[in-house]
Amino acid sequence: MTGSVGDEREPAGVLAGAAADGLRAAGGRAGGVYLCSRTPGLLRLAVLAGLPGPLFRPWWRLTVDRPFPVADAHRLGVPVILANAADAMRRYPQFAAGLPFQFGTLSVPVVAAGRAFGVLTVLCPPAADAEDVRTQRERLTAVAGGLAAELLRHEAAGGTVTWDRAPLCVRPPAGRPPPGRVGHLAWDPATGAVTADDPARALLGLPPDRRPDTLESLTGALDPTDAHLLPGLLREAARGRPPPCPVPLRTADGGLRLLELRAPGAAPPAAVAGVLLDAAPGAPADGAADLLPEGVFCLDRLGLIVYANPRAAHLLGVERSRLLRRSLWEAVPWLSRPAYEEPLRGALISPEPVHFHVRRAGPETDDQGSGPRPYEGDWLSVAVYPGPDLLTCTLVPAGRVPDEPDGAAPTAPAGPRSGTPAPDVAASTAPVYRPIVLAIALTEAVTARQVSAVVVQELLPAFGGRRLAIYLLQERHLHLAWETGFPQGFLAPFEGVGLDARIPGVETLTTGRPLFFDSMRQLADAYPGIALDATEGARAFLPLIASGRPVGSCILGFDRPRGFSSEERTVLTALAGLIAHAMEKAQRYDTEAALARGLQQALLPRRLSRHPRVETVGRYLPGTESMEVGGDWYDVVEAGDGLALVIGDVQGHGVQAAATMGQLRSAVRAFALGDRPPEEVMGGTNHLLIDLDPGQFASCCYVRLDPMTGWARMVNAGHPPPLLRRPDGRTRPVEPPGGMVLGVDPRAHYPVAELRLEPGAILALYTDGLVERPGHDIDDGITALRTALAAAGGPAERPLGDIADRLTATARQATDRPDDIALLLATPTARHPATGRPGPLVTAG
């Protein structure tokens, strides 16, 4: 699903239709569909309905482990319902801080036959609690189920269901039109004949005696820029693929109409029926608004300007003809600043009107150089009134603030202008970016890598940045900790640079002052000879200083030249302080975590006991989401003339868990060295843990193997069942009669099960960190491990160590592991003891 919209293999229309159906089902004003991308762990917005794409660019991409409703719905496979803003702040403070408006959200996973495609999400009016939106949730779940079934059929037919580009932005389902403003028309592809009723002819601006009896006469009634769209739309509808939403079209006299096409009832090609709706304000209303002394313009829900009176054109500094039928950000580029995006987002997703102030850009003239334009530096007071289909915006002059950089928020309005009071400081200062969003996200990041990822996810999108580099100070040299967006190898010459170098990344740290460059030319003028990449964009160099101590420097890069307002500079400098504190904390974490891992390794066996007829391999992977050591362990112990294979897991993490693990490991070794029966080993260990009374329990699996015969006796105390792979590749779980976990019941009994290991068979013992994932059944994880073991091959095909590495490869490559992982593999060999060839010496991997 990475081709163009016209690609027949891509069900773009299905996605857009599902988004529209979702809005109807939940009574929402906006929503969309997220799909998995080709990048593992990344969701991308495929369809956005009822909202302008540019305003919601920060949410085009979501990682599945991000604390957001859509991510949780996909990862956990359950609907996530936020009834109102208070509910969102309580459960998802980072999400609520980024969209601090009054609305509710319903996010439903798109799943069929165990295949998770993505999430259908809708923004809707706030409700008292989740119970009030139960009906909407059920309807939305049905829509998501239908979409999943369509995507499953598409995939089964050889298509791909991933998304890796910008979202399709579609209009929401049209509201009910005013009475008498609906027309009907039809087109027969076989004859080319067009029929239209009287209301349709009136909406097209045609006189009563003129009938659009051909496709050419119908397109002739439309604006030339839209006329070319209609034939293709009709042909697609005749093939059974009508547009999922009404299509906006302009008539020759400038009126905005919505055309809703319906698939033919007979087998295509057959006659296509259409409904024509009046989407613009009525002519009397337009005429009245044209005479108003204040500026008035209307936007549809995708940001297209559908009406503007002459006063609005004058105040915006753009010819009226260049406003209509263009997106607000295309027609008035200076309104695309981050400071103005947030109130516009609020008007689109919240029912309450919003008020804010904007600073007009410099004078602009039309193509002939004529026409008065506003003075640079003037401020406008803007009010936006939301509606189901249109936003109505009013503009009045608000005052002038001299000596402020372009785009800055007013700090001391200079006084009234045109009889209108200057804006109130608190009301006019629209926040460039909410530092609380970054602050909340940084509290959840504990490693330097996680801190850098948060900056990429939260800071760059807020300011439109595309490049990031974070350098950390070590022994008076700066070392690159993270970079994204720069050309490959470009930053290599700056690695390990000393504090005496005259480059902006060093000087911002040594002076403690942020450095801002509007363009690369400005940067080159300030630092002659400095290496530059191919872009001409702006750069910001921020010092990372925590509690007066230098930590490093942060570089933000932009694709295009841009200025930095005083408010943006202030906010970026403050955010750099947050990043510095988080990085300092992460450095302490990394140091302490290294010490903790050293303790963990010291408690694990440095070598495994060996036997000439048994080969064993162990692997241990520490968790990455906590600094504390865990309680997983494995061991191989000489037991008489055989071997004891042991694996266990103490509840919890931390020093206490590690200490308990060490005591249990020593106890099991002592019992095993005495060649005590397996049931006595487990019973004695259980009594020891109860006597120690650490307030913890543990699971354990103990296998006493006779290498000469291959027979094994096994007991299990609440541990995941071992897996046995036979020489022919068949693999099954070995589930002995269950015994209670250790440390709970002094009277617990541990039944013994017997099994035989043939030469070439593999017995796999593991802890739950290898098979358990949040939101998924552990049985699914065991099944996946069983499949992987069967496919990994036997010891005759590859070394046992390679098989262990294959089984832990996914976990080893994972950035975040919520739990420790232990794995122990054992296989009898066909070697005779007389050969004197011992098994390998194995250390923890």
Side-chain angles (χ1 to χ4, degrees):
M1 190 176 289
T2 56
S4 65
V5 179
D7 188 342
E8 291 190 1
R9 296 172 300 171
E10 177 185 328
V14 172
L15 295 173
D21 290 343
L23 296 187
R24 296 188 190 96
R29 289 190 175 182
V33 179
Y34 281 86
L35 291 180
C36 296
S37 72
R38 287 179 292 184
T39 303
L42 181 69
L43 295 175
R44 294 191 68 120
L45 185 60
V47 171
L48 180 62
L51 294 173
L55 279 188
F56 291 84
R57 185 180 293 273
W59 295 274
W60 284 11
R61 297 157 46 101
L62 290 177
T63 53
V64 296
D65 57 352
R66 196 174 182 185
F68 267 58
V70 167
D72 277 0
H74 177 72
R75 189 179 69 256
L76 303 177
V78 297
V80 175
I81 311 301
L82 302 177
N84 47 50
D87 196 14
M89 180 59 74
R90 178 176 58 85
R91 296 173 57 189
Y92 296 92
Q94 186 177 338
F95 169 71
L99 290 171
F101 312 115
Q102 290 296 327
F103 67 96
T105 64
L106 291 81
S107 300
V108 178
V110 179
V111 180
R115 173 78 164 84
F117 294 103
V119 176
L120 175 62
T121 185
V122 170
L123 307 182
C124 54
D129 52 46
E131 190 63 25
D132 287 350
V133 293
R134 175 191 291 183
T135 302
Q136 292 94 318
R137 181 189 65 189
E138 292 173 352
R139 292 173 181 167
L140 193 64
T141 300
V143 174
L147 173 61
E150 290 283 351
L151 296 179
L152 193 65
R153 284 192 288 271
H154 176 76
E155 196 171 58
T160 57
V161 185
T162 57
W163 197 270
D164 287 280
R165 54 190 174 90
L168 300 173
C169 295
V170 299
R171 286 172 173 77
R176 185 181 299 253
R181 304 292 290 180
V182 180
H184 297 83
L185 52 84
W187 174 67
D188 187 344
T191 63
V194 172
T195 58
D197 61 14
D198 291 339
R201 290 196 298 274
L203 289 170
L204 291 170
L206 299 174
D209 58 345
R210 181 181 167 190
R211 297 184 176 275
D213 51 3
T214 65
L215 187 55
E216 289 73 18
S217 61
L218 180 61
T219 56
L222 299 177
D223 184 284
T225 57
D226 281 352
H228 72 283
L229 298 175
L230 186 58
L233 293 172
L234 291 171
R235 283 193 289 269
E236 286 296 297
R239 297 189 184 104
R241 296 193 295 265
C245 297
V247 178
L249 297 172
R250 282 280 177 185
T251 60
D253 59 3
L256 180 63
R257 307 292 182 254
L258 292 176
L259 177 61
E260 184 172 351
L261 296 176
R262 298 168 183 171
V272 175
V275 178
L276 199 63
L277 311 173
D278 184 3
D286 287 356
D290 283 353
L291 302 177
L292 290 175
E294 61 184 10
V296 178
F297 65 95
C298 296
L299 307 173
D300 70 4
R301 296 196 63 83
L302 294 189
L304 189 73
I305 302 174
V306 298
Y307 167 76
N309 70 355
R311 181 62 171 163
H314 175 78
L315 292 175
L316 292 173
V318 182
E319 291 294 327
R320 190 181 187 188
S321 61
R322 296 173 60 186
L323 284 174
L324 297 177
R325 299 190 62 257
R326 298 173 70 188
S327 76
L328 178 64
W329 302 277
E330 177 189 3
V332 192
W334 49 266
L335 279 177
S336 62
R337 298 170 189 159
Y340 308 146
E341 290 181 354
E342 183 164 318
L344 289 173
R345 277 196 291 266
L348 283 159
I349 66 178
S350 174
E352 300 297 326
V354 298
H355 303 267
F356 60 103
H357 290 82
V358 300
R359 188 177 189 176
R360 296 186 286 194
E364 178 186 332
T365 60
D366 59 20
D367 296 337
Q368 287 73 39
S370 62
R373 289 294 175 262
Y375 294 104
E376 182 174 5
D378 281 356
W379 287 85
L380 297 175
S381 178
V382 183
V384 184
Y385 300 91
D389 300 313
L390 296 176
L391 303 182
T392 301
C393 310
T394 63
L395 304 168
V396 294
R400 179 167 181 164
V401 184
D403 303 325
E404 283 289 338
D406 182 40
T411 55
R417 181 179 175 87
S418 302
T420 304
D424 176 74
V425 173
S428 62
T429 306
V432 174
Y433 180 66
R434 295 181 173 268
I436 189 174
V437 177
L438 184 62
I440 293 172
L442 287 175
T443 61
E444 301 171 354
V446 293
T447 68
R449 181 181 181 85
Q450 290 171 345
V451 171
S452 302
V454 166
V455 176
V456 171
Q457 293 174 355
E458 301 296 342
L459 186 62
L460 283 185
F463 289 89
R466 293 291 182 269
R467 292 165 173 78
L468 170 74
I470 294 179
Y471 285 85
L472 297 181
L473 182 65
Q474 296 177 9
E475 299 180 352
R476 297 187 59 78
H477 289 79
L478 288 175
H479 296 276
L480 185 63
W482 183 281
E483 62 105 354
T484 183
F486 286 95
Q488 186 174 3
F490 172 75
L491 297 177
F494 302 102
E495 171 60 24
V497 67
L499 294 185
D500 56 349
R502 189 181 181 274
I503 58 175
V506 170
E507 292 195 356
T508 189
L509 180 61
T510 56
T511 64
R513 293 184 295 104
L515 302 174
F516 298 93
F517 301 95
D518 295 353
S519 66
M520 296 298 282
R521 177 177 298 178
Q522 192 180 88
L523 174 60
D525 291 342
Y527 293 88
I530 191 172
L532 304 175
D533 58 23
T535 66
E536 291 295 326
R539 291 289 184 271
F541 296 84
L542 308 174
L544 301 182
I545 299 175
S547 304
R549 294 186 298 275
V551 175
S553 58
C554 176
I555 305 171
L556 299 180
F558 303 83
D559 287 343
R560 296 185 298 273
R562 56 158 292 172
F564 295 92
S565 70
S566 60
E567 186 179 8
E568 285 179 311
R569 294 172 186 236
T570 300
V571 171
L572 281 170
T573 304
L575 294 179
L578 291 177
I579 297 168
H581 281 282
M583 275 297 182
E584 185 183 48
K585 181 185 70 174
Q587 288 179 310
R588 289 198 305 267
Y589 169 89
D590 290 339
T591 300
E592 295 170 3
L595 294 173
R597 297 308 172 198
L599 171 62
Q600 177 76 21
Q601 292 295 334
L603 291 172
L604 291 169
R606 295 186 61 191
R607 64 178 63 192
L608 302 179
S609 297
R610 53 186 178 174
H611 191 281
R613 292 185 65 88
V614 179
E615 184 180 358
T616 56
V617 165
R619 294 290 183 266
Y620 176 80
L621 301 176
T624 61
E625 293 188 2
S626 172
M627 182 180 61
E628 297 180 329
V629 295
D632 294 24
W633 91 94
Y634 62 88
D635 209 348
V636 178
V637 189
E638 295 180 8
D641 57 357
L643 285 180
L645 312 174
V646 190
I647 197 160
D649 184 2
V650 177
Q651 166 220 7
H653 292 80
V655 175
Q656 182 62 55
T660 302
M661 179 267 281
Q663 292 169 314
L664 292 184
R665 176 173 174 255
S666 298
V668 173
R669 285 186 67 87
F671 287 129
L673 288 170
D675 201 16
R676 303 278 293 276
E679 63 271 27
E680 292 186 19
V681 174
M682 200 63 69
T685 306
N686 178 48
H687 281 97
L688 173 66
L689 185 56
I690 292 173
D691 291 341
L692 291 173
D693 192 22
Q696 294 172 304
F697 58 83
S699 66
C700 184
C701 183
Y702 181 93
V703 181
R704 202 283 188 186
L705 174 64
D706 182 351
M708 302 301 295
T709 65
W711 282 99
R713 304 180 75 239
M714 178 175 62
V715 292
N716 192 326
H719 201 79
L723 297 176
L724 176 62
R725 184 188 190 279
R726 297 172 61 88
D728 60 5
R730 289 181 295 167
T731 306
R732 66 178 179 87
V734 181
E735 301 192 28
M740 185 173 291
V741 293
L742 305 174
V744 175
D745 183 1
R747 297 168 298 180
H749 174 63
Y750 297 96
V752 178
E754 291 188 346
L755 70 153
R756 186 172 185 275
L757 274 67
E758 308 167 72
I762 299 176
L763 184 66
L765 288 77
Y766 54 92
T767 56
D768 56 8
L770 186 59
V771 294
E772 195 168 36
R773 288 190 303 157
H776 294 76
D777 195 311
I778 190 173
D779 290 339
D780 295 337
I782 294 174
T783 300
L785 180 62
R786 172 184 172 184
T787 302
L789 179 59
E797 301 162 21
R798 57 175 49 90
L800 195 63
D802 287 357
I803 296 174
D805 290 339
R806 283 172 175 257
L807 297 182
T808 56
T810 300
R812 194 179 297 274
Q813 295 168 7
T815 303
D816 298 314
R817 288 188 296 271
D819 200 0
D820 297 353
I821 292 172
L823 173 69
L824 178 62
L825 302 182
T827 180
T829 67
R831 288 174 281 183
H832 193 276
T835 63
R837 294 176 59 192
L841 177 67
V842 180
T843 59

